Amino acid sequence: MKLSRIAIVWGVLLLAAACALFLYFFERHTEEVDLGFGPEARRNPYLAAQRFLDRLDIGHRRADNISVITTLDDRDALFLASSSQIYNPDRLRELLDWVDAGGHAIVIAHRGRGDNEQDLLLEALELEVTSGDLDLYFNRQVREVFGEEASELQDKTISELMRDHNRKLDEKDSENTSGESPDSAEPDIEGSVSTPRNPDVDPERLVNLTSDSGPSYAIYFNPEKVFAHEMMGKGTDADVNGALLHWVPFQNMPTQSPLVYYERGRGRLTLMTDGGLWQNDRIGEFDHAYFLAHLVGDRELVMITRPRFDTLGTLIQRYALELFFAGLLALAAWIANRSRRFGPLTPPPAAERRSLLEHIRACGHFYWRQNRGVSLFDGARKPLLAKLGGNRNLNADRQRQIAESVAEKTGLAAREIHDTLWGPAPRNEDDFTARLRSIQIIEAAL
């Protein structure tokens, strides 16, 4: 009994000593891990822009597709994430009419992969989207990997860049292993490395816009796609079909512009080639967010980012009553159309039978077409000659006597009877028919 109590006491003491040693040597360490955007931000690439507008008390809402244009007021602003959302000429006309009435549309120009893909808005405005400057230094992925070294590696291929980059990483790893710590960035209060908000971009690549009210905005447009127009390079604006066209070119590249806008009627139509300017990963750079607020102003922004149309199930639920009555009408029309078939069956009509004369006539035509008319005629007059007691070998006087005697009984001409009984076979259908009729008359008279 005493031994068990002593063991319990010693166990408690050892546990207390282990806890004390753990608390004495334990050191709290905080580390921040970037897990990327949350689920809501991944679903909505413009979530940061919407929250920024909320902070400025600028009204905004999302719409499903371009059909919302018929419900907009001339004091609203419309944002289209792609010009391809204008899918037919009617929607294009509605958009331009709304802009003429005082609306403000902000559209991201879309260029498809196929050369034959049609963009109704760009065609109507006579604008062309072409490839811009693809300098490696201004490629975001290359800058993130190589940093400042990208500006010194312009003439190398991607494989050479990656090989040099891996070699330098190996050298840094060996220096860290030997105890020589490389230069590091200045840590902030939390112990993490502070990173600049704006990417390292050549100032010549920034577009600086100055508003009429005074503020200026520095914006970095991705130069991969730019606008091209025949009037660019000759000024900063031009009259195109009655609408004043303005463009903002890159520095040292007056013929390429990432931003153009039209003054149409009482409204404005703004087009940009960079679709990621206000998305979550770039809206915090430079003055992108403030430029969005400047374009919207005191209007209410309607955003169409991902077009969505009602599914068949949604339409059925919405118009269930109409579909029900339409089905009843269709059923009633079908019953009315089929009602004459209801009741006893009508007896089938009696089958028609052809006469014997029709069969004989058909056989005659068949034999005549088979060049068997001579045998038919000889077969018809041979019994008649046998009945008269003569044949075709009689002399001429006897044939004349028989023809004259038969002519007195039948009323036919003696010459006609002679040709029928002893003449050559007929050569055409009319002669054949006349000879057979004569044979029938002679047989009836005898």
Side-chain angles (χ1 to χ4, degrees):
M1 189 66 179
K2 292 182 178 180
L3 183 60
S4 61
R5 291 182 179 178
I6 293 173
I8 293 174
V9 172
W10 277 106
V12 173
L13 292 176
L14 290 175
L15 181 61
C19 292
L21 291 173
F22 174 77
L23 293 175
Y24 181 78
F25 292 104
F26 173 76
E27 181 181 356
R28 183 180 296 274
H29 176 71
T30 302
E31 181 180 359
E32 293 184 1
V33 178
D34 187 5
L35 300 178
F37 294 123
E40 186 177 1
R42 287 195 295 269
R43 288 192 301 267
N44 181 13
Y46 295 92
L47 178 63
Q50 295 173 1
R51 292 186 176 178
F52 175 76
L53 295 176
D54 289 335
R55 288 173 53 187
L56 299 182
D57 294 331
I58 296 178
H60 64 87
R61 57 188 174 91
R62 298 182 64 180
D64 290 337
N65 52 66
I66 191 62
S67 62
V68 75
I69 194 71
T70 57
T71 64
L72 295 182
D73 191 79
D74 56 4
R75 294 183 297 274
D76 293 331
L78 176 66
F79 172 72
L80 286 176
S82 174
S83 57
S84 62
Q85 297 178 15
I86 306 173
Y87 51 84
N88 61 37
D90 294 335
R91 297 305 184 192
L92 175 62
R93 185 179 63 255
E94 293 172 354
L95 174 66
L96 297 180
D97 292 344
W98 174 73
V99 172
D100 292 337
H104 185 188
I106 306 169
V107 184
I108 305 298
H110 170 75
R111 182 183 64 176
R113 296 179 180 178
D115 296 334
N116 298 326
E117 188 167 354
Q118 187 180 27
D119 195 310
L120 297 177
L121 179 60
L122 296 183
E123 291 179 2
L125 300 178
E126 300 180 358
L127 276 179
E128 182 181 359
V129 178
T130 61
S131 299
D133 189 357
L134 301 180
D135 193 337
L136 282 178
Y137 182 63
F138 302 100
N139 187 291
R140 182 179 183 85
Q141 289 77 15
V142 174
R143 291 203 317 269
E144 292 178 352
V145 174
F146 298 101
E148 294 292 340
E149 300 174 2
S151 60
E152 303 173 359
L153 304 174
Q154 298 296 320
D155 300 329
K156 295 186 178 182
T157 62
I158 294 296
S159 59
E160 292 174 345
L161 293 178
M162 295 302 300
R163 190 161 49 247
D164 294 341
H165 182 66
N166 293 333
R167 178 178 53 78
K168 292 182 179 180
L169 290 179
D170 293 338
E171 292 177 356
K172 290 182 179 180
D173 291 339
S174 61
E175 291 176 359
N176 293 336
T177 305
S178 62
E180 297 179 2
S181 59
D183 297 336
S184 59
E186 184 68 23
D188 58 10
I189 298 177
E190 297 292 334
S192 60
V193 178
S194 59
T195 57
R197 179 174 66 90
N198 299 327
D200 187 8
V201 176
D202 190 339
E204 292 184 356
R205 295 290 179 160
L206 293 178
V207 175
N208 296 293
L209 300 176
T210 303
S211 63
D212 297 336
S213 57
S216 60
Y217 306 96
I219 306 171
Y220 172 65
F221 289 97
N222 188 342
E224 181 180 359
K225 294 192 300 183
V226 294
F227 288 114
H229 193 275
E230 59 182 4
M231 299 300 295
M232 288 186 181
K234 302 179 183 180
T236 57
D237 53 26
D239 188 356
V240 179
N241 297 330
L244 193 59
L245 168 63
H246 303 268
W247 56 82
V248 181
F250 287 110
Q251 298 185 38
N252 303 326
M253 287 185 294
T255 59
Q256 296 183 356
S257 172
L259 172 67
V260 300
Y261 61 93
Y262 288 81
E263 294 182 3
R264 298 179 57 93
R266 295 186 290 111
R268 173 178 293 187
L269 176 61
T270 303
L271 293 101
M272 301 187 302
T273 57
D274 191 354
L277 194 67
W278 295 320
Q279 294 185 4
N280 296 332
D281 56 342
R282 291 184 57 197
I283 191 171
E285 299 175 356
F286 300 103
D287 298 326
H288 297 174
Y290 301 103
F291 180 58
L292 172 61
H294 169 72
L295 289 180
V296 178
D298 57 354
R299 298 171 178 261
E300 181 180 359
L301 180 62
V302 179
M303 304 180 69
I304 305 178
T305 57
R306 293 183 178 179
R308 186 183 66 85
F309 296 90
D310 293 332
T311 62
L312 179 61
T314 303
L315 294 175
I316 291 176
Q317 292 179 359
R318 182 181 303 170
Y319 302 105
L321 187 60
E322 290 83 350
L323 288 174
F324 176 74
F325 282 109
L328 289 180
L329 291 176
L331 179 61
W334 179 82
I335 293 175
N337 182 58
R338 305 287 291 186
S339 60
R340 56 190 175 186
R341 293 254 179 143
F342 298 160
L345 294 176
T346 303
E352 295 182 359
R353 294 184 178 181
R354 295 186 179 274
S355 63
L356 180 60
L357 181 60
E358 288 178 324
H359 286 285
I360 296 174
R361 186 181 295 115
C363 291
H365 282 289
F366 174 76
Y367 284 120
W368 182 264
R369 287 194 298 269
Q370 297 297 321
N371 297 322
R372 299 177 62 179
V374 175
S375 60
L376 288 175
F377 179 72
D378 290 340
R381 72 178 176 179
K382 186 176 180 180
L384 182 59
L385 289 174
K387 189 175 182 180
L388 291 173
N391 52 42
R392 299 185 61 182
N393 297 324
L394 294 177
N395 55 34
D397 294 337
R398 181 58 181 165
Q399 292 178 358
R400 186 175 59 255
Q401 294 174 1
I402 294 175
E404 290 176 354
S405 62
V406 172
E408 294 176 357
K409 297 178 181 180
T410 59
L412 295 175
R415 184 62 184 173
E416 182 179 355
I417 296 173
H418 182 273
D419 292 339
T420 301
L421 296 177
W422 294 285
R427 300 299 178 184
N428 54 62
E429 294 183 7
D430 294 338
D431 191 13
F432 180 83
T433 304
R435 297 283 187 88
L436 288 181
R437 184 168 55 250
S438 298
I439 291 174
Q440 291 176 349
I441 294 174
I442 294 171
E443 289 182 342
L446 296 178

